[in-house]
Amino acid sequence: MNLDHIAIKSDNIRDSIEWYSKNLDAEIVYEDETWGMVTVQGAKIAFVLETMHPPHLCFEVSKDKKDQLELEYEPFKYHRDGSSYLYIKDTAGNTIEYLVWPEN
């Protein structure tokens, strides 16, 4: 399991990306009106609108781990980029995302 990204709340995706680009030399990975992603020194940070996605920590997992998680929780869903995901809550109510990237 690897940390894929940290997703933080944004009220305006464009403003967040501009601020992180200017102040942290972030490189833009993706941007639209509902979410964006940048890299800062190799770390991926996603900006999310709370109405679309919860702020969260995201861990990439293997297909075997995905199968185990689906037995324990529920089936994974799919993002528009083809990746599959499952959101769960930790004991304090923080959101954790498990993510499986599609095979190339």
Side-chain angles (χ1 to χ4, degrees), residues 21-36:
S21 296
K22 177 181 174 188
N23 291 284
L24 300 176
D25 295 323
E27 295 181 26
I28 300 168
V29 175
Y30 181 83
E31 176 185 0
D32 69 23
E33 293 179 359
T34 64
W35 74 280

Side-chain angles (χ1 to χ4, degrees), residues 10 23-25 34 36 42 45-46 53 60 68 74 78 80 82 86 89-90 92 97-98 101:
S10 174
N23 291 284
L24 300 176
D25 295 323
T34 64
I45 301 170
H53 305 279
E60 181 181 1
Q68 293 172 349
E74 60 185 61
Y78 289 89
R80 57 186 156 195
L86 173 68
K89 299 275 187 181
D90 69 12
E97 177 184 18
Y98 292 114
W101 288 106

Side-chain angles (χ1 to χ4, degrees), residues 4-70:
D4 188 80
H5 65 271
I6 297 170
I8 59 177
K9 178 182 86 73
S10 174
D11 295 325
N12 181 296
I13 303 300
R14 170 92 306 258
D15 289 348
S16 295
I17 286 176
E18 286 179 4
W19 191 93
Y20 278 73
S21 296
K22 177 181 174 188
N23 291 284
L24 300 176
D25 295 323
E27 295 181 26
I28 300 168
V29 175
Y30 181 83
E31 176 185 0
D32 69 23
E33 293 179 359
T34 64
W35 74 280
M37 185 172 288
V38 299
T39 59
V40 178
Q41 297 296 311
K44 290 192 283 185
I45 301 170
F47 304 103
V48 296
L49 301 176
E50 281 190 297
T51 57
M52 300 295 291
H53 305 279
H56 59 272
L57 296 175
C58 177
F59 295 93
E60 181 181 1
V61 297
S62 68
K63 296 212 184 301
D64 289 339
K65 179 67 173 177
K66 174 187 175 193
D67 293 342
Q68 293 172 349
L69 290 164
E70 287 184 321

